[in-house]
Structure formats: C-alpha cells, structure tokens
C-alpha cells in the first residue's frame, strides 16, 4: 500500500507502507500509481515527496512475488510516469533504498537522504550513515530491470555504475553523495527536509532533472573497459550468469539511446528471470535469514530462549584459530582475555593479533580500542569473564584438562565453548560442573574472516547457552548455524564423504587435475585436491591416525579396507612421503617452493598413482566429469539427508548456509540440498543406487531413509521437506 496526503499546503506526500522493508509488492505499486495520479491531478499540489514508513525507504521489488504469477502495475512504466511528471518529485531516503527502491528514486527528479552524524576522527571527517543504497539484484541472479542499468550509468558514469551493478554492493549516503547518486544529505528529519526542498523547487524547470534524457559521459576506451569488467565478473563467480548480463546491460547504456537500452535491459532480464541460478540465489536469500530462527530437537527455539549478555570473553590457545577468534571478538567490541600457556606462542600472538586488527580496521574503515585485549600465560586470568572459547590443540585429553580447570576457575554462570572441529561436545561438557553451559563454537579458518560459525549444542546444553552463542556469532558478523553434536558436526561430516569419493576416483583412474577441473567448473573456487593442499594434508592424517585408520603397513586387500568398508590410504601415503601440500611445496600438486601458491601438475604424483594402482591390481578406467560430480556431490548430499533425518540440522537451509559460507559451495547453486531439489530427488536416488551397486563396499552410497521417503512422498519442493522430517520425528 501507499498512503497519500497533502502537507505544507502544496506538497503531495506519498508514503510506502509494506513492513518490514516497504518492498514494492503489487499493492504498493498500485498505491504509488494511484497516489502519483492524484498528486499530479490536484491543482493545489505543486510538488511531490516519496518516502517509506518506519524509517525505511524501500527494499526493492518484493522477492516473494518472483516465484508467483505477477500482477499489479509493472515497475518500468510506473517509474517512467514519475520521471515524466511536470511537477518536481523528490525521493526522501531513510534506511534502505535498494534494487527497485533505488530505481524508483532514480526516476524522481531529486534525491535526499539521511546521514546520521558527522564525526571528526584524527582530523578526518567521516559521516556515520544510516541509509544504504544499492542495486543488489545481481546477488539474486537478476539485474536492475526497472531502468537501473540505464539510469545509473547516465547519472554517475559508466565505471562507477558498472562497479555497483556487478557487485551489488551497498553504499552509504556519504558515498552516494560523493558518487552523485544523491543531491543532498541531512542529519535532520529527512522527510521534513525533503518537503521544504520540494517547496523550494516548485515551478522550476525539470529539463535537466530527468536522468533518462542524459547521455553517459564519454570514455576513451570503452571496449577495454567492458572487456576488463567481463573478465573480472567471470573470475569472481565462475559460471554465474547474472554478473555477465549486468555488464552487457551497462554496455547498452553506454552505447545505445535510452529507449533501446531499456529494450536490451528487458531482454537480458527475461533470460535471467526464470533461470535456475535466480531461483537458487533467491532461495538462498531467504535461507540465510531462516537459519537465525533456530530450533533443537529438545524444543529450544530462537524466539523463546533468552541470550545472556556477554561483555568480556576469553580465548584459550593462541594458535592460528585462537588468534583469529580473538580478533573477531575484539572487532565485535568485546573486552577479551587471550590466554596461551606457551611463552613463545604467547609472545608471537601479542605481535600478530594487533597487526591483524590493524589490517582489519584499515580494510573496514573502523577503529579498534587497542587495550580491549589483555594477554596472559595464566588460566586464572579468565576468572571474571562471561564466556570462554577454548581453541587449544585438537586433542581430547588436553581439552578435557582445560575444561576441568575452567570449570573450577570461572564464575559458575560462565559459558564454556569449544572450537573443536569434530570432538565430542557432550564429553567435554561432562568434564565440567555445569554441562548445561557448554556448547561448541566451531569457527572456520581464518576465523576473523570466514562468515560461518557452527554452534554445536550438546545433549545437556541449555537453551540460553545456545541462544548466547548464536547471538555472539551474529555480533561477530558471522552466519551462525545451530547444529547437533556428532562426529564432524554437519559440515565436516559431509565433507568426509566427499573427500573419500575423490580418493576412490583417483584409485579408479582419475587424476587430481580432472577431479578439480570438474568441481571448479561446477563453481567451487578450488577443487578438492587444491583445497587439501592449501589446508594441509597432515590435518586429516593426524585425525585418521588418532582413529587408528592410517595404517600403511597393511598389504593386499586389507590395505584398502577398514571396518569392513572401502578405504583409500592414498592421503596417508602422501603424508608419509612428507607431502603435506603447499606448506611443504608438494602435495597433490607441486609448488615452486614451500609455501608456494601456484599448483602445477606433478609427474611424480602421476607415477605414484600408476604404481599404486598396479600394486593393488586396479585397472584404470576413463572417468568423465559427470561421474566426478555425481560421486562427490551426491554422496555429500546423501550425508546431508542423513543429518536432517537424525535432527543434527533442523532444516535444509542450515546445511546450505554451512556449505555456501564455510566450504565454497557456489552460491548461485543454492547449496547442496537446494541443488538436490533442482536436480530432482528421484535422479539423486537413482544415481546413488547405481553407484552403490557398482561399489557395494561403500555403504554411504546407499540413499538415506529420508531421501527415499521424500521421493515416496512425491518429491515435495525443498520448503516442504521440514513437514516430512517432522512427521518422521513425531512417529518416533
Ligand atoms: C532491506 C534490507 C537491507 C533490510 O535488512 P534487515 O537486516 O533490516 O532485515 P532482513 O534482511 O532480516 O529483512 C527483514 C524481512 O524482510 C524480508 N525482505 C527483505 N527484503 C525483501 C524484499 N525485497 N522482498 C521481500 N522480502 C524482503 C526478509 O526476507 C525478512 O523476512 P524473513 O521472513 O525472511 O526474515 C535487507 O532485507 C535486504 O537486503 N533486502 C533485499 C534487498 C534487495 O535485494 N532488493 C532487490 C530486490 S530485486 C529488485 O528490486 C528487482 C528490480 O530491479 C525490479 C525489476 C523489475 C522486475 C520486473 C519483472 C520482469 C520479469 C521479466 C521476465 C519475464 C519473462 C517472461 O515471463 O516472459
């Protein structure tokens, strides 16, 4: 809806009303059309102001309408009519003007926005803004198709418009003013200022105010600018089609008259609108928000659990993870006690952490209170903190000891969290006096950069403990996903199956290059072998050794079997050769030096694989990319269904968020569970069954019970899976 009233005698004020973000639903569009008509037809009205209720201008088109039959007045002619009006129209922008919201503002003759305060810091003036503006359609698999690709380059120039449209980034009011998107910013009430401004421009000529009549500022080398832009978007999101279409649409603005440019924008939008990528990205937009509404099988929920205030936190262990976590906590404004019992490691951390903070502050344009962190070699220093995150070496005996000590030293209500990536959270809880205050906070390296946080609740974790960890994660800028306690939790448990298949494919005749190419063409930034080289092959080796799996003394058929299932010792053998990946300059690939970054094919490795196959009587066969994708991805997806079945994750959105934010799953494919829905659950079952028949010694290729049940229920769309899961749980 839109509310219309006349204010200050001669200003028609149109207020968009569609909480929470005033999205341009059919009824809002109808309201705008009706109100504009009324204002233009009223002789008493000399100028018009458009604003949004509750301090938000407009979050753009209503994304939920995209999946349905479109109705109501279309945006393009609506904005055209506003621009063509013979009375000045002013956009009063508070909060967000995004997507269609900014396109609506670009159709107005003037744009005024709110800028909260002017702060003087070290002689540099910075504006602390509330408003954010942008054209984020590309992040939804679309382009700004209500004239955004044609008006923005005409207003601010092609290079700046290309940057905003292809990245979808939001800019502050200060930056928008600098770029020329805004005419004016104010610290006062934006609507009041806009009304006064509207009165002041009454009767002035609008000839120079209609952006569609502008020409793009000429540029000397347009071809190379667009070639460069195309290369950039192609390498930033491999296989994503929307950024490419955005470049093409802006090119049309730079080279064609406005009307033809609009035709091109429409044509390009038509190819994107019904694409699988747009569906995936729009699903993911809502999935990200759904993970915040967490629940556990015991009935704890986000809306009934009260988080505790956390002002002071401690980190135990200042290795790579501990340092990153310390930085993330300090960046979130907490006071941090950083404890490391090894003097040398502590000394190194006291230098490394401040420089990580400094780099972060420079990148983010923020400031950090330098004495928000205190360092100590003594665990007693954590006596008064509200929450502890243990990040010591991944060794159960060591962690047990730390938790026993923490339980004695800390206040009785201190939350004790572990950053373990796979160890048993319940067991650690059992070492403390208050197991209800123990949860896992599984960060991903580098912990101050990676967006994902798995919050692992144990059998006895209290709802308040889960809520506190979830809220702290959010404060640190993480996407926090609540998951149950099991080996590897959700992410690493699924990853294990994926890695196993990749090893088996090498045994059967594939090369690391072939497997990685298939995965990278699918959209992963790195294939599984390049990723292992980067993170270090020794990490998994240590875990397998601790589990009694990495025994390379076994010969004959038993060398490739563990606990009755197929096992590949390839990773263990490489580690025995001292090939730990990038850090040693050799792994699945070779590098020019230890620590080198550029992976090159390694003839030694290919020889090694040939000899290995010959030794085990394995006849190499031709493996194509499709098999690589199906074997690696479907087995990972199958484990995801198992995780849903067991209640370790509450819904498919949780798993998808974990994979996109933590494991490089291409966002334009929505996450593994959404991908399964797109491929078709029946097909996933059929392929898994086929591969299981061919490899009966790999039990995880058997389709999970939930996957089969979904197929038996007619393969409902992903948003209905929770019903099938719920029905199953209620029968238990
Ligand atoms: C606005 C935000 C920054 C606010 O953030 P905040 O953190 O405060 O709040 P939340 O993010 O939690 O959001 C709260 C709540 O609101 C929901 N929501 C937010 N935005 C939208 C929206 N735009 N639509 C619907 N719902 C929205 C959100 O999901 C939350 O609810 P939930 O229940 O999930 O918790 C932030 O929300 C934000 O960033 N929003 C998205 C901004 C955005 O991306 N906007 C762009 C939208 S796309 C667009 O505008 C397209 C335009 O260019 C118009 C194009 C014209 C279309 C014409 C169609 C032509 C079709 C042609 C092809 C046909 C061919 C053929 O069929 O033949």
């Amino acid at each position: 809806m839109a509310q219309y009233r006349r204010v200050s005698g001669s200003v028609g004020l149109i207020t968009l009303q569609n909480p929470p973000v005033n999205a341009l639903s059919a009824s809002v569009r109808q309201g705008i059309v009706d109100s504009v008509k009324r204002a233009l037809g009223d002789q008493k009205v000399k100028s018009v102001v458009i604003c949004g209720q509750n301090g938000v201008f407009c979050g753009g088109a209503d994304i939920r309408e995209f999946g349905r039959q479109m109705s109501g007045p279309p945006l393009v002619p609506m904005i055209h009519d506003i621009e063509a009006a013979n009375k000045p129209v002013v956009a009063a922008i508070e909060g967000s003007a995004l997507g269609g919201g900014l396109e609506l503002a670009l159709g107005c003759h003037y744009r005024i926005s709110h800028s909260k305060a002017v702060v003087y810091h070290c002689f540099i003036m910075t504006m602390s803004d509330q408003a954010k503006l942008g054209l984020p359609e590309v992040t939804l698999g679309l382009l700004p198709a209500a004239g955004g690709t044609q008006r923005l380059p005409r207003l601010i120039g092609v290079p700046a418009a290309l940057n905003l449209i292809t990245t979808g980034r939001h800019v502050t009011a200060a930056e928008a003013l600098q770029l020329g998107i805004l005419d004016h910013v104010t610290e006062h009430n934006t609507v009041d200022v806009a009304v006064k401004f509207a009165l002041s421009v009454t009767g002035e000529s609008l000839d120079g105010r209609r952006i569609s009549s502008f020409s793009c500022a000429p540029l000397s080398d347009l071809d190379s600018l667009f070639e460069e832009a195309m290369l950039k978007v192609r390498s930033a999101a491999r296989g994503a089609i929307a950024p490419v279409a955005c470049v093409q649409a802006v090119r049309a603005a730079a080279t064609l008259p406005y009307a033809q440019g609009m035709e091109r924008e429409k044509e390009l939008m038509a190819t994107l609108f019904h694409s699988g990528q747009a569906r995936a990205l729009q699903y993911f937009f809502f999935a990200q928000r759904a993970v915040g509404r967490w629940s556990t099988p015991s009935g704890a929920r986000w809306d009934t659990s009260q988080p505790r205030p956390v002002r002071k936190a401690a980190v135990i262990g200042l290795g790579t993870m501990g340092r990153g976590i310390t930085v993330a906590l300090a960046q979130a404004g907490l006071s941090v006690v950083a404890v490391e019992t090894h003097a040398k490691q502590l000394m190194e951390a006291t230098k490394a952490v401040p420089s990580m903070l400094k780099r972060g502050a420079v990148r983010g344009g923020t400031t950090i209170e330098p004495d928000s962190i205190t360092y100590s070699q003594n665990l007693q220093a954590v006596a008064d903190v509200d929450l502890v995150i243990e990040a010591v070496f991944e060794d159960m005996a060591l962690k047990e000891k730390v938790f026993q000590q923490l339980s004695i030293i800390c206040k009785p209500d201190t939350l004790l969290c572990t950053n373990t990536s796979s160890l048993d959270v319940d067991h650690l809880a059992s070492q403390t006096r208050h197991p209800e205050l123990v949860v896992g906070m599984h960060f991903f390296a580098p912990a101050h950069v990676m967006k994902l946080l798995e919050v692992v609740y144990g059998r006895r974790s209290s709802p308040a403990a889960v809520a506190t960890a979830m809220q702290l994660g959010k404060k640190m800028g993480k996407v926090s996903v609540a998951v149950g306690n099991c080996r590897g939790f959700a992410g690493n448990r699924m990853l294990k199956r994926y890695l196993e298949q990749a090893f088996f494919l090498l045994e059967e005749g594939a090369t690391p290059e072939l497997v990685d190419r298939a995965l990278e063409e699918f959209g992963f930034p790195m294939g599984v072998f390049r990723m292992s080289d980067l993170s270090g092959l020794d990490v998994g080796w240590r875990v397998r050794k601790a589990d009694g799996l990495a025994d390379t003394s076994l010969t004959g058929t038993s060398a490739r079997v563990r606990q009755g299932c197929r096992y590949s010792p390839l990773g263990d053998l490489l580690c025995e050769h001292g090939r730990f990946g990038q850090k040693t300059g050799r792994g699945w690939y070779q590098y020019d030096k230890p620590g080198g970054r550029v992976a090159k094919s390694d003839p030694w490795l290919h020889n090694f694989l040939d000899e290995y196959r010959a030794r085990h009587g394995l006849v190499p066969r031709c493996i194509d990319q499709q098999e690589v994708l199906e074997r690696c991805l479907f087995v990972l997806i199958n484990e995801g269904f198992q995780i849903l079945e067991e209640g370790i994750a509450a819904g498919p959105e949780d798993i998808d968020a974990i994979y996109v934010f933590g494991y490089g799953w291409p966002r334009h494919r929505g996450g593994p569970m959404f991908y399964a829905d797109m491929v078709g659950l029946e097909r996933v079952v059929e392929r898994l069954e086929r591969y299981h028949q061919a490899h009966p010694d790999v039990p995880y290729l058997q389709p999970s019970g939930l996957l089969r049940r979904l197929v038996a229920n007619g393969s409902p769309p992903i948003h209905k899976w929770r019903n099938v899961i719920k029905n199953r749980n209620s029968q238990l």
Side-chain angles (χ1 to χ4, degrees):
M1 270 194 320
Q3 186 202 57
Y4 175 77
R5 63 202 164 103
R6 185 153 54 82
V7 296
S8 299
S10 65
V11 178
L13 180 64
I14 300 171
T15 308
L16 314 191
Q17 294 183 327
N18 186 13
V21 301
N22 298 322
L24 295 162
S25 61
S27 64
V28 173
R29 297 196 305 274
Q30 189 63 59
I32 298 174
V33 168
D34 295 345
S35 307
V36 168
K37 200 168 160 198
R38 210 168 139 190
L40 298 184
D42 184 345
Q43 284 189 350
K44 290 197 194 109
V45 170
K46 305 292 178 207
S47 52
V48 180
V49 170
I50 302 181
C51 64
Q53 75 170 7
N54 297 334
V56 179
F57 182 70
C58 175
D62 187 339
I63 305 165
R64 289 186 201 275
E65 278 187 356
F66 291 163
R68 306 182 201 137
Q69 186 67 33
M70 300 284 266
S71 63
L75 268 180
V76 170
M78 180 189 97
I79 295 174
H80 173 85
D81 290 350
I82 291 172
E83 192 188 55
N86 55 5
K87 298 178 186 177
V89 185
V90 183
I93 300 171
E94 293 173 311
S96 307
L98 298 171
L102 180 56
E103 292 174 296
L104 168 64
L106 291 173
C108 297
H109 306 115
Y110 299 94
R111 285 156 295 281
I112 293 177
S113 181
H114 187 238
S115 179
K116 201 174 172 189
V118 179
V119 180
Y120 290 90
H121 175 70
C122 297
F123 309 109
I124 301 169
M125 189 186 80
T126 57
M127 286 194 208
S128 142
D129 299 278
Q130 273 189 330
K132 46 187 169 189
L133 296 89
L135 293 175
E137 285 85 343
V138 69
T139 64
L140 298 167
L142 304 173
L143 53 75
T149 67
Q150 302 306 301
R151 285 197 179 89
L152 194 63
R154 285 176 163 79
L155 181 65
I156 65 170
V158 171
L162 254 180
N163 172 274
L164 290 192
I165 292 172
T166 58
T167 60
R169 77 183 176 91
H170 301 172
V171 297
T172 60
E175 190 179 349
L177 181 68
Q178 208 173 29
L179 286 168
I181 299 174
L182 294 174
D183 299 292
H184 185 59
V185 293
T186 177
E187 282 176 48
H188 304 290
N189 183 302
T190 317
V191 180
D192 290 350
V193 172
V195 168
K196 273 194 198 126
F197 181 83
L199 287 168
S200 75
V201 292
T202 293
E204 283 184 13
S205 163
L206 294 171
D207 284 351
R209 303 302 315 174
R210 296 189 178 98
I211 300 173
S212 67
S213 67
F214 299 0
S215 298
C216 285
L219 286 163
S220 57
D221 198 354
L222 216 56
D223 283 341
S224 55
L225 176 77
F226 282 104
E227 266 163 39
E228 222 170 84
M230 202 54 106
L231 279 177
K232 204 166 162 189
V233 299
R234 288 207 159 112
S235 75
R238 204 187 278 254
I241 55 175
V244 171
C246 285
V247 174
Q248 291 168 329
V250 176
R251 190 183 180 105
T255 54
L256 298 174
Y258 175 76
Q260 283 178 39
M262 286 299 287
E263 278 304 307
R264 183 78 179 121
E265 181 187 271
K266 189 171 157 189
E267 220 172 81
L268 288 163
M269 177 66 154
T271 62
L272 299 178
F273 197 69
H274 298 298
S275 68
Q277 293 194 8
R279 265 183 60 199
L281 286 160
Q282 287 158 32
Y283 156 81
F284 197 71
F285 174 85
F286 293 112
Q288 273 179 76
R289 282 150 179 88
V291 298
R293 295 188 285 270
W294 59 271
S295 63
T296 71
S298 65
R301 290 166 53 94
W302 66 284
D303 51 352
T304 53
S305 308
Q306 194 59 37
R308 300 213 184 145
V310 179
R311 291 182 195 92
K312 189 169 183 184
V315 179
I316 315 293
L318 297 179
T320 314
M321 288 308 287
R323 291 176 198 181
I325 297 168
T326 303
V327 170
L329 287 167
Q331 283 172 336
L334 272 81
S335 162
V336 189
V337 181
V339 179
E340 171 57 66
T341 51
H342 298 285
K344 185 165 172 274
Q345 181 111 308
L346 179 65
M347 179 61 77
E348 284 168 8
T350 56
K351 292 187 185 128
V353 168
S355 72
M356 285 156 79
L357 275 169
K358 210 166 163 187
R359 279 198 301 274
V362 170
R363 255 198 318 269
T366 52
T367 51
I368 289 288
E369 207 50 62
D371 36 77
S372 63
I373 305 174
T374 52
Y375 297 88
S376 176
Q377 209 177 337
N378 188 346
L379 210 55
Q380 295 292 340
V382 307
D384 66 341
V385 303
D386 305 311
L387 177 145
V388 179
I389 302 176
E390 164 279 307
V392 302
F393 196 70
E394 195 72 350
D395 174 75
M396 186 49 111
L398 176 61
K399 286 185 193 272
E400 275 176 2
K401 207 168 130 202
V402 171
F403 271 76
Q404 288 159 6
Q405 289 175 324
L406 288 173
S407 187
I408 296 166
I409 295 168
C410 293
K411 298 183 289 183
D413 59 351
T414 300
L415 218 75
L416 302 182
C417 309
T418 172
N419 177 49
T420 180
S421 57
S422 64
L423 298 178
D424 186 351
V425 174
D426 284 327
H427 181 74
L428 287 174
S430 73
Q431 306 300 305
T432 68
R433 295 185 202 179
H434 293 287
E436 72 280 8
L437 295 180
V438 175
V439 290
M441 285 184 84
H442 178 209
F443 290 83
F444 289 72
H448 58 305
V449 175
M450 290 289 284
K451 289 283 278 180
L452 178 65
L453 175 70
E454 276 184 322
V455 171
V456 186
Y457 54 83
R459 256 197 324 270
R460 297 167 71 181
S461 306
S462 69
V466 183
T468 307
M470 289 293 284
Q471 195 189 52
L472 179 60
K474 194 170 174 192
K475 203 168 174 192
M476 285 190 273
K478 308 287 176 203
V479 174
S480 312
V481 185
V483 293
N485 178 35
C486 65
R487 189 73 200 262
F489 316 131
N492 284 345
R493 176 171 156 182
M494 290 165 70
L495 189 75
K496 183 165 186 271
R497 302 290 167 235
Y498 167 82
L499 286 168
E500 279 168 0
Q501 286 303 312
F503 285 4
F504 296 161
L505 285 163
L506 293 190
E507 291 187 337
E508 292 164 37
T511 59
E513 291 84 346
L514 174 108
V515 174
D516 282 353
R517 199 176 317 120
L519 294 166
E520 286 163 16
E521 280 177 16
F522 179 78
F524 281 98
M526 265 187 217
V528 56
F529 293 108
R530 287 215 293 142
M531 180 47 89
S532 300
D533 273 1
L534 173 69
S535 37
L537 272 61
D538 51 323
V539 180
W541 189 38
R542 251 198 326 264
V543 176
R544 293 193 296 277
K545 279 202 288 194
D547 288 349
L549 293 172
D551 182 355
T552 50
S553 66
L554 298 168
T555 53
T557 46
S558 53
R560 295 178 45 247
V561 176
R562 300 287 187 280
Q563 294 152 1
C565 303
R566 181 171 172 185
Y567 177 83
S568 170
L570 278 171
D572 306 332
L573 290 166
L574 245 60
C575 287
E576 284 186 358
H577 279 92
R579 297 177 71 107
F580 291 172
Q582 286 188 4
K583 61 175 102 165
T584 56
R586 297 279 184 277
W588 297 106
Y589 295 93
Q590 56 176 327
Y591 301 84
D592 58 350
K593 56 175 192 286
R597 298 264 157 159
V598 182
K600 278 197 296 191
S601 184
D602 189 349
W604 182 92
L605 195 272
H606 294 149
N607 252 337
F608 161 81
L609 287 175
D610 287 342
E611 280 171 20
Y612 172 88
R613 292 183 197 117
R615 195 162 61 247
H616 292 284
L618 298 164
V619 181
R621 60 187 176 83
C622 216
I623 291 170
D624 61 17
Q625 293 207 352
Q626 183 182 340
E627 180 173 349
V628 172
L629 290 183
E630 289 180 346
R631 293 265 300 271
C632 293
L633 302 185
F634 288 4
V635 78
L636 175 145
I637 287 165
N638 198 31
E639 195 65 28
F641 279 110
Q642 192 58 38
I643 281 171
L644 287 177
E645 171 110 283
E646 291 170 20
I648 296 294
E653 299 87 351
D654 298 302
I655 294 178
D656 287 335
I658 287 173
Y659 261 79
V660 170
F661 288 115
Y663 295 86
W665 184 283
R667 189 186 285 236
H668 62 266
R669 293 195 188 263
M673 309 318 283
F674 180 84
Y675 180 66
D677 186 34
M678 286 283 268
V679 169
L681 300 186
E682 267 176 74
R683 180 168 169 80
V684 177
V685 167
E686 182 261 311
R687 301 309 289 168
L688 281 168
E689 277 174 342
R690 199 150 191 247
Y691 289 121
H692 184 239
Q693 258 170 24
H695 307 279
D697 49 357
V698 185
Y700 304 106
L701 284 168
Q702 272 190 78
S704 87
L706 174 62
L707 177 52
R708 285 190 192 284
R709 231 174 23 261
L710 284 163
V711 171
N713 277 270
S715 298
I718 192 162
H719 64 273
K720 296 209 168 138
W721 292 2
R722 278 179 198 251
N723 299 339
V724 177
I725 300 167
K726 234 187 268 159
N727 290 344
R728 156 76 174 170
N729 287 340
S730 63
Q731 282 164 22
L732 284 174

